[in-house]
Amino acid sequence: MTTSTLSGPKLPETLRIGPFRVKSFGSHALAGQIYRQLALGRRTELFFANTNFVVTCQAFAERFNDDPAITVVNDGIGMDLAARLMHGKRFQENLNGTDFIPRLLGGSPLPLRVFLFGARPEVVREASRSVERRFGHTVVGALSGYGVEDELVCERIRSAKPDVVLVALGNPLQEQWILDHAQQLPPALYVGVGALFDFLAERAVRAPVWVRKLHLEWFFRLTQEPKRLWKRYTVDAFKFFRICRSAKLEAS
Ligand code: UDP
């Protein structure tokens, strides 16, 4: 028997970025862990932390650290830069929900019951069709993220008994929603997916592959929605590095 068989799968390294403990996973290992948790009927809360997440979720950061069912992974070049500056290390892979969730749904060894919550009504409807058509899973519920009471969402999730709940409300609403409700709901994968439904519904365009490879998708999105996003990539980027620096000073 080899050492690796004896010690089981290698645990991902945890890197502290600001007040968050971020797991350095490869996408293959992360998908494997999620499939195992689903097979065991356990709850997972998965969050993709980018610079905007760090800034907008900072006020309730300790809530991500106190539950073993919660996994926070890195998303975007800003997180990688912070890891290099603060720890002299790189994350294994640049993960983000828009790429990872389709890969997870597409690679599932079992058919899944998927619930979609968030975005405008027509967007979540089209995204649901896309999940069924592209991945062959069953959509067991779909609710818009505007004007829908939390109680109704919870009631629908309880009766639908999904394996996967995709929550697309943007940061920090989707994170707050999952942290506030997932523990009282049926065990499933609960994941914050940002603008994924807009992409699945083909209402928003992804950056060309070469732009993504250069880690410049954020710049492409900025050119698409400058009014809404300029602050995120200027003032908030500055705040992000300030948060990281003060967390490092506190720890030393
Ligand atoms: N959204 C929502 N309810 C809200 C605010 C946002 O359903 O109260 C949806 C929005 O329509 C979009 C998704 O959340 O489909 C992601 O929003 P955003 O583009 O801000 O996400 P990000 O830029 O962080 O990926």
Side-chain angles (χ1 to χ4, degrees):
M1 203 181 275
T2 62
T3 321
S4 64
T5 329
L6 277 174
S7 54
K10 201 170 153 248
L11 287 175
E13 186 174 12
T14 300
L15 296 179
R16 213 173 166 103
I17 302 291
F20 298 95
R21 291 191 204 128
V22 184
K23 294 256 161 54
S24 178
F25 262 110
S27 55
H28 197 71
L30 178 60
Q33 170 168 305
I34 292 168
Y35 296 143
R36 278 193 296 282
Q37 295 296 85
L38 285 174
L40 293 167
R42 292 194 187 143
R43 170 177 53 94
T44 303
E45 295 176 34
L46 176 64
F47 300 98
F48 293 93
N50 55 19
T51 53
N52 188 241
F53 169 103
V54 170
V55 173
T56 59
C57 299
Q58 189 210 175
F60 52 99
E62 76 291 346
R63 295 188 67 191
F64 294 88
N65 294 336
D66 61 11
D67 181 345
I70 293 178
T71 298
V72 179
V73 294
N74 62 295
D75 167 6
I77 193 168
M79 296 293 281
D80 211 36
L81 200 58
R84 273 194 262 178
L85 289 173
M86 289 191 304
H87 305 288
K89 290 181 177 172
R90 297 196 62 170
F91 282 105
Q92 272 195 56
E93 218 175 283
N94 177 20
L95 295 167
N96 66 71
T98 311
D99 289 319
F100 179 77
I101 297 301
R103 222 178 288 160
L104 181 84
L105 296 178
S108 172
L110 295 173
L112 297 170
R113 298 166 63 78
V114 184
F115 194 104
L116 290 84
F117 168 43
R120 306 225 161 257
E122 63 283 9
V123 173
V124 70
R125 259 198 312 273
E126 282 167 37
S128 302
R129 274 189 226 119
S130 166
V131 166
E132 296 202 316
R133 214 177 33 238
R134 280 178 63 186
F135 310 111
H137 299 307
T138 309
V139 171
V140 291
L143 285 173
S144 162
Y146 294 93
V148 181
E149 296 288 326
D150 285 349
E151 207 31 63
L152 174 72
V153 184
C154 293
E155 219 175 277
R156 292 277 180 86
I157 293 176
R158 278 194 194 100
S159 56
K161 296 192 180 62
D163 302 300
V164 177
V165 180
L166 305 175
V167 184
L169 302 172
N171 311 124
L173 288 182
Q174 61 195 25
E175 285 75 22
Q176 264 159 347
W177 198 93
I178 295 172
L179 291 170
D180 287 347
H181 298 97
Q183 279 192 30
Q184 290 86 48
L185 291 170
L189 167 68
Y190 292 85
V191 52
V193 294
L196 176 68
F197 298 172
D198 301 84
F199 293 120
L200 288 175
E202 296 179 9
R203 299 289 179 124
V205 231
R206 293 289 309 270
V209 176
W210 67 269
V211 176
R212 284 185 245 162
K213 279 194 178 148
L214 289 173
H215 302 295
L216 288 173
E217 187 158 25
W218 63 271
F219 183 71
F220 180 84
R221 287 197 69 191
L222 178 62
T223 63
Q224 305 285 299
E225 297 180 83
K227 269 198 189 142
R228 188 172 74 93
L229 296 177
W230 73 269
K231 189 175 154 282
R232 186 182 296 187
Y233 296 120
T234 52
V235 182
D236 286 358
F238 179 72
K239 276 190 200 159
F240 167 73
F241 285 104
R242 214 179 45 201
I243 293 167
C244 293
R245 214 191 61 180
S246 43
K248 185 154 193 221
L249 289 178
E250 264 171 43
S252 59

